[in-house]
C-alpha cells in the first residue's frame, strides 16, 4: 500500500485530503503542526510528502533542507500547496525534491491527478460538470448547486461548511440550499442523500434549520419519505424561505433580498469566509485569471537515440513525479527547445544526426540554460573533459543503477 505524509496545520485541507486518499486505499499519516517534521519523515518513509506552506515558511524550508541533505529520504517527492509565488522562486524548490507547487485556492481535480501520477495509483475523481458556490451572511449560509451533483464537491462541501461554522462560531446556522437550477430524478437519489448527510454532519447544523429551494416534485417526495430529513423544509418560493430566516421588513424585492441579505457579507465578519472557492479546473478548463495555479518543477528532457534507454529513464523519472519528454535526434530537440521549458537535460553524445558535443554547445549558448547530465557509453578521458568543459554538469557511463542515476540528478539540482 502506498503511503503519504500530509504536513498541514489547516484542518479543512488536511481532513478533506485524508478522506480522499483513504477512500482510494492509500495509507495516510498526518502532522497537525510543523514541529518535528523531519523526525516524522524518517520514521514513516512515505512514498510522497504533501506539504502546506504559509507566507512565513521558515520552518518548512528548514525541513526541506534537512530532507535534501539526508540521502535516505532525499529522493522522496514533495508536493507543496502555498500562496501564489513568482515562477523563479518556485523553481528554487526543485533542489529540495519538490516536484509540484500548487497555488491556493487549489483546483482539486488537477491536484488529485498529480498525486495519482506520483504514486502510480490513479485517484478516482468525479469530473461531472457542476457548480457549487457557498456564501455566508451572519448566521445564514447560502449554498447554490447547478448543472449536476458532483460527489467530490459534495464531499468538499462538508469540510468547507465545517470550517465556516467553526471559524465564525456559528451556534445555530441557518442554511439555504438552492437546487432550483437542477433537473432532479430518481437517478440523483444517491447523490442527494450524500449532499444532505454531509450538511447534517457539520457541527451545530440541525435539519429544522435547513431550507431547500427546488421545483422538483421528486425531491419533495424524497425528503418527505426519508426519516432523517423530515424536518428539512422544501419550497419553490424563495420569498417564503427568506421570510423564515432573515428580516424582510425593509424590502419585498427578491433580488434585493438575495443581494443584501444572502450574498453580501456582514461587515462584522469580514471577507475571509464570505465566498468559498469550490471550483475545479475542469469546470472551465481554463487557468485562473490570477495566474497559473499549478507549477511542475521537474521537467526533464532525454535526448538519446536508444529507445530502450529513453523508455527506462522515462519510467524511472516519472516514478519521482517528473514530467519527461524524450527526443531521439538533436533536430527534434532543437525544434522544440525553449529556454525555460526544462529543469534538466539528460544527453547522450552519440546521436545519429549530430554529435552531442555540438548540441551541448548549442544548449549552453542559450539564456537560462538548464543543467545537463551527459549519460553515454564509455568515452576517452579527453572526451569526458571536453564534455565537462563545454558545460555539462556531470558525466555518467551507461548503464547505471536507477538509484545512482536519481542520486546524481538530485545532486545536480542541489548545486
Amino acid at each position: 500500500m502506498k503511503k503519504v505524509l500530509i504536513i498541514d496545520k489547516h484542518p479543512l485541507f488536511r481532513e478533506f485530503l485524508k478522506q480522499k486518499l483513504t477512500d482510494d486505499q492509500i495509507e495516510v499519516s498526518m502532522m497537525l503542526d510543523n514541529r518535528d517534521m523531519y523526525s516524522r519523515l524518517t520514521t514513516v518513509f512515505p512514498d510522497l510528502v504533501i506539504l502546506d506552506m504559509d507566507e512565513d515558511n521558515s520552518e518548512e524550508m528548514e525541513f526541506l533542507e534537512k530532507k535534501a541533505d539526508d540521502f535516505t529520504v532525499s529522493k522522496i517527492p514533495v508536493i507543496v500547496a502555498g500562496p501564489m509565488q513568482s515562477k523563479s522562486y518556485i523553481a528554487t524548490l526543485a533542489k529540495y525534491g519538490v516536484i509540484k507547487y500548487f497555488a491556493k485556492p487549489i483546483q482539486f481535480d488537477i491536484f488529485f491527478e498529480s498525486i495519482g501520477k506520483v504514486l502510480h495509483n490513479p485517484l478516482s475523481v468525479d469530473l461531472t460538470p457542476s457548480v457549487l458556490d457557498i456564501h455566508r451572511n451572519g448566521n445564514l449560509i447560502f449554498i447554490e448547486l447547478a448543472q449536476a451533483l458532483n460527489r467530490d464537491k459534495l464531499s468538499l462541501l462538508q469540510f468547507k461548511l465545517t470550517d465556516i461554522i467553526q471559524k465564525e462560531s456559528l451556534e445555530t446556522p441557518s442554511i439555504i440550499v438552492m437546487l432550483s437550477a437542477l433537473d432532479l430524478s430518481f437517478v440523483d437519489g444517491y447523490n442527494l442523500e450524500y449532499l444532505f448527510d454531509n450538511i447534517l454532519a457539520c457541527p451545530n447544523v440541525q435539519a429544522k434549520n435547513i431550507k431547500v429551494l427546488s421545483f422538483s416534485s421528486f425531491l419533495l417526495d424524497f425528503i418527505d419519505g426519508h426519516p432523517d430529513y423530515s424536518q428539512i423544509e422544501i419550497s419553490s418560493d424563495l420569498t417564503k424561505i427568506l421570510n423564515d430566516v432573515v428580516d424582510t421588513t425593509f424590502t419585498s424585492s427578491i433580488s434585493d433580498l438575495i443581494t443584501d441579505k444572502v450574498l453580501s457579507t456582514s461587515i462584522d465578519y469580514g471577507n475571509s469566509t464570505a465566498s468559498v472557492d469550490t471550483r475545479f479546473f475542469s469546470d472551465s478548463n481554463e487557468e485562473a485569471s490570477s495566474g497559473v495555479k499549478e507549477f511542475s518543477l521537474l521537467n526533464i528532457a532525454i535526448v538519446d537515440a536508444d529507445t530502450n534507454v529513453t523508455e527506462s529513464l522515462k519510467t524511472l523519472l516519472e516514478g519521482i513525479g517528473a514530467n519527461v519528454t524524450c527526443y531521439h535526434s538533436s533536430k527534434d530537440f532543437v525544434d522544440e527547445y525553449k529556454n525555460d521549458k526544462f529543469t534538466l537535460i539528460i544527453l547522450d553524445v552519440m546521436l545519429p544526426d549530430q554529435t552531442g558535443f555540438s548540441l551541448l554547445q548549442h544548449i549552453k549558448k542559450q539564456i537560462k540554460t538548464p543543467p545537463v547530465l551527459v549519460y553515454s557509453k564509455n568515452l576517452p578521458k579527453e572526451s569526458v573533459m571536453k564534455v565537462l568543459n563545454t558545460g555539462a554538469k556531470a558525466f555518467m557511463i551507461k548503464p547505471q543503477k536507477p538509484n545512482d542515476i536519481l542520486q546524481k540528478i538530485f545532486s545536480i539540482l542541489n548545486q
Side-chain angles (χ1 to χ4, degrees):
M1 179 181 289
K2 299 290 186 178
K3 294 188 292 184
V4 171
L5 173 61
I6 301 174
I7 303 174
D8 192 342
K9 57 179 178 259
H10 302 98
L12 167 63
F13 180 74
R14 185 181 66 234
E15 295 298 331
F16 173 61
L17 188 54
K18 179 185 177 183
Q19 176 178 301
K20 181 65 180 177
L21 296 178
T22 301
D23 288 346
D24 280 279
Q25 308 303 310
I26 294 169
E27 182 180 334
V28 177
S29 297
M30 296 197 302
M31 291 199 67
L32 310 189
D33 57 45
N34 294 340
R35 291 175 295 178
D36 300 323
M37 290 182 283
Y38 175 70
S39 297
R40 187 64 177 274
L41 174 69
T42 55
T43 301
V44 174
F45 283 100
D47 299 286
L48 172 67
V49 176
I50 299 175
L51 176 65
D52 180 79
M53 278 190 175
D54 289 326
E55 292 285 354
D56 179 10
N57 57 21
S58 55
E59 290 181 338
E60 291 85 357
M61 291 306 301
E62 181 181 352
F63 161 73
L64 290 175
E65 288 169 359
K66 286 183 178 180
K67 174 185 173 296
D69 290 338
D70 184 345
F71 74 94
T72 64
V73 293
S74 61
K75 295 191 294 293
I76 297 175
V78 180
I79 292 178
V80 170
M84 182 65 74
Q85 299 280 10
S86 68
K87 191 172 181 180
S88 58
Y89 171 80
I90 292 171
T92 65
L93 300 177
K95 62 184 179 181
Y96 302 113
V98 176
I99 58 169
K100 293 276 187 178
Y101 187 101
F102 284 86
K104 297 176 183 178
I106 290 173
Q107 294 160 328
F108 282 104
D109 47 351
I110 303 299
F111 188 69
F112 293 147
E113 181 183 12
S114 295
I115 294 172
K117 285 181 178 179
V118 175
L119 298 177
H120 296 282
N121 183 21
L123 303 184
S124 57
V125 179
D126 188 349
L127 297 178
T128 304
S130 173
V131 173
L132 168 60
D133 283 327
I134 309 171
H135 301 269
R136 180 190 55 80
N137 180 282
N139 201 53
L140 175 62
I141 299 174
F142 181 87
I143 302 169
E144 181 181 10
L145 285 146
Q147 292 186 303
L149 297 173
N150 179 302
R151 287 187 69 81
D152 282 332
K153 290 191 176 184
L154 297 182
S155 177
L156 180 59
L157 171 63
Q158 178 185 338
F159 296 100
K160 294 279 190 181
L161 280 178
T162 297
D163 189 52
I164 292 171
I165 292 167
Q166 291 179 338
K167 279 185 177 179
E168 308 303 337
S169 302
L170 304 181
E171 294 183 1
T172 54
S174 296
I175 296 175
I176 296 178
V177 184
M178 289 277 288
L179 301 177
S180 53
L182 288 174
D183 184 16
L184 299 168
S185 69
F186 73 94
V187 298
D188 299 297
Y190 182 56
N191 284 337
L192 285 169
E193 191 170 60
Y194 194 54
L195 164 65
F196 292 116
D197 286 348
N198 280 339
I199 294 175
L200 288 168
C202 297
N204 302 332
V205 172
Q206 300 178 37
K208 66 181 181 180
N209 294 325
I210 299 175
K211 316 293 181 183
V212 181
L213 179 69
S214 175
F215 303 108
S216 170
S217 58
F218 165 76
L219 182 59
L220 180 61
D221 293 338
F222 175 81
I223 288 179
D224 285 345
H226 201 293
D228 295 334
Y229 310 149
S230 59
Q231 290 185 295
I232 295 176
E233 179 184 346
I234 181 170
S235 175
S236 59
D237 185 349
L238 181 58
T239 303
K240 180 179 183 302
I241 291 176
L242 290 172
N243 270 317
D244 291 338
V245 294
V246 299
D247 182 4
T248 59
T249 304
F250 301 105
T251 180
S252 59
S253 167
I254 291 179
S255 61
D256 288 346
L257 285 171
I258 294 175
T259 301
D260 298 336
K261 298 296 184 181
V262 178
L263 299 185
S264 296
T265 307
S266 168
I267 192 169
D268 294 334
Y269 291 95
N271 295 319
S272 61
T273 56
S275 183
V276 182
D277 186 359
T278 56
R279 300 301 175 104
F280 285 16
F281 181 84
S282 55
D283 290 336
S284 63
N285 205 28
E286 295 178 358
E287 293 172 350
S289 58
S290 59
V292 178
K293 292 291 185 180
E294 176 200 9
F295 298 85
S296 297
L297 276 73
L298 284 183
N299 296 299
I300 299 177
I302 303 172
V303 189
D304 196 315
D306 189 332
T307 55
N308 291 327
V309 171
T310 56
E311 287 305 310
S312 61
L313 284 176
K314 187 173 189 289
T315 300
L316 173 67
L317 296 171
E318 286 181 341
I320 60 168
N323 295 328
V324 181
T325 308
C326 298
Y327 302 94
H328 297 112
S329 72
S330 61
K331 182 181 184 304
D332 291 342
F333 174 76
V334 171
D335 286 347
E336 288 192 19
Y337 180 72
K338 293 180 182 178
N339 288 331
D340 59 352
K341 184 173 182 178
F342 298 112
T343 313
L344 175 76
I345 299 169
I346 300 176
L347 171 65
D348 182 7
V349 294
M350 303 297 185
L351 296 172
D353 58 339
Q354 179 180 336
T355 68
F357 297 109
S358 300
L359 183 56
L360 185 56
Q361 288 174 332
H362 172 79
I363 294 170
K364 301 313 287 186
K365 289 178 182 177
Q366 309 302 311
I367 302 171
K368 296 181 180 179
T369 304
V372 178
L373 167 62
V374 172
Y375 186 50
S376 197
K377 290 183 179 179
N378 198 7
L379 296 175
K381 184 177 179 180
E382 309 82 62
S383 297
V384 174
M385 293 305 298
K386 183 179 178 182
V387 162
L388 297 175
N389 289 333
T390 307
K393 286 290 185 182
F395 173 82
M396 296 187 80
I397 300 172
K398 292 180 181 179
Q400 293 283 336
K401 294 178 181 178
N403 279 344
D404 291 339
I405 296 172
L406 291 178
Q407 200 66 42
K408 180 61 71 175
I409 288 171
F410 283 113
S411 174
I412 292 172
L413 294 175
N414 204 24
Q415 291 178 5

